[in-house]
């Protein structure tokens, strides 16, 4: 049980760091989590870790760069479109940003911080917004690899007989 606890802890810490520093490695970690811990626990660990890393980045951007960058980006048309969507219905807009990943994950982590979205709204919509895609990625990848492995096993059994 101690080894399992350490495995989960190390996995989560690596995942949080990858998301916090916007390293494009999260999808690989998501799939790895499904293989290491099973699809259900792997999904929970991936979503919790991704949300934690995103929230840390959000808070760092807001605390360190918020005011100076907010002024610089206010005239960018795509940012203004996001601002207007957030002003109309923050919950729906923030949830859709995560659910339909048209905006890169790193940008979806930074832009809301610059637009003064509340961290609670940001964290809740991030968690529930990435949940369906994370579950889908883990389950479909595991299914595909199991199917491939089964096909290879059948080929080897036919060749060897």
């Amino acid at each position: 049980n101690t080894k399992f606890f350490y495995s989960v802890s190390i996995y989560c810490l690596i995942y949080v760091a990858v998301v916090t520093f916007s390293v494009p490695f999260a999808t690989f970690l998501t799939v790895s989590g499904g293989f290491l811990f099973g699809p259900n626990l792997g999904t929970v660990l991936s979503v919790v870790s991704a949300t934690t890393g995103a929230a840390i980045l959000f808070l760092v951007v807001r605390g360190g760069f918020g005011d100076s960058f907010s002024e610089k980006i206010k005239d960018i048309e795509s940012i203004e479109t996001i601002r207007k969507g957030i002003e109309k219905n923050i919950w729906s807009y923030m949830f859709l940003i995560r659910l339909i990943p048209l905006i890169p994950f790193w940008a979806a982590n930074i832009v809301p911080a610059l637009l003064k979205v509340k961290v609670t709204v940001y964290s809740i919509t991030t968690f529930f917004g990435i949940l369906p895609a994370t579950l889908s990625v883990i389950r479909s990848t595991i299914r595909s690899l199991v199917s491939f492995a089964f096909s290879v096993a059948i080929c080897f059994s036919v060749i060897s007989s």
Side-chain angles (χ1 to χ4, degrees):
N1 285 343
T2 303
K3 290 179 182 178
F4 181 76
F5 173 77
Y6 286 135
S7 299
V8 167
S9 299
I10 290 168
Y11 172 80
C12 290
L13 289 172
I14 290 170
Y15 204 123
V16 168
V18 163
V19 173
T20 300
F21 293 107
S22 298
V23 179
F25 200 59
T27 302
F28 174 76
L29 287 173
T30 299
V31 172
S32 298
F35 281 110
L36 292 171
F37 307 111
N40 295 331
L41 182 57
T43 297
V44 171
L45 295 174
S46 296
V47 171
V48 168
S49 298
T51 302
T52 302
I56 291 169
L57 178 58
F58 177 92
L59 293 169
V60 167
V61 168
R62 167 151 317 146
F65 307 106
D67 293 333
S68 61
F69 275 116
S70 291
E71 284 300 313
K72 291 178 183 177
I73 67 166
K74 69 179 181 179
D75 295 329
I76 299 173
E77 186 177 328
S78 58
I79 302 293
E80 191 56 31
T81 302
I82 294 170
R83 182 190 317 272
K84 287 178 183 174
I86 287 173
E87 287 173 357
K88 284 183 183 176
N89 188 341
I90 191 168
W91 286 95
S92 295
Y93 202 82
M94 290 300 301
F95 183 69
L96 285 174
I97 285 174
R98 295 301 192 178
L99 187 62
I100 305 168
L102 298 174
I103 297 174
F105 197 73
W106 64 267
N109 291 339
I110 294 171
V111 172
L114 299 175
L115 297 178
K116 309 290 188 221
V117 171
K118 291 181 181 178
V119 71
T120 52
V121 173
Y122 174 79
S123 297
I124 292 168
T125 56
T126 295
F127 182 88
F128 289 107
I130 66 174
L131 183 60
T134 303
L135 184 59
S136 176
V137 164
I138 287 175
R139 290 193 183 274
S140 65
T141 304
I142 289 174
R143 244 184 253 124
S144 296
L145 289 173
V146 166
S147 177
F148 175 75
F150 183 70
S151 299
V152 169
I154 289 175
C155 288
F156 278 124
S157 69
V158 168
I159 292 171
S160 65
S161 44

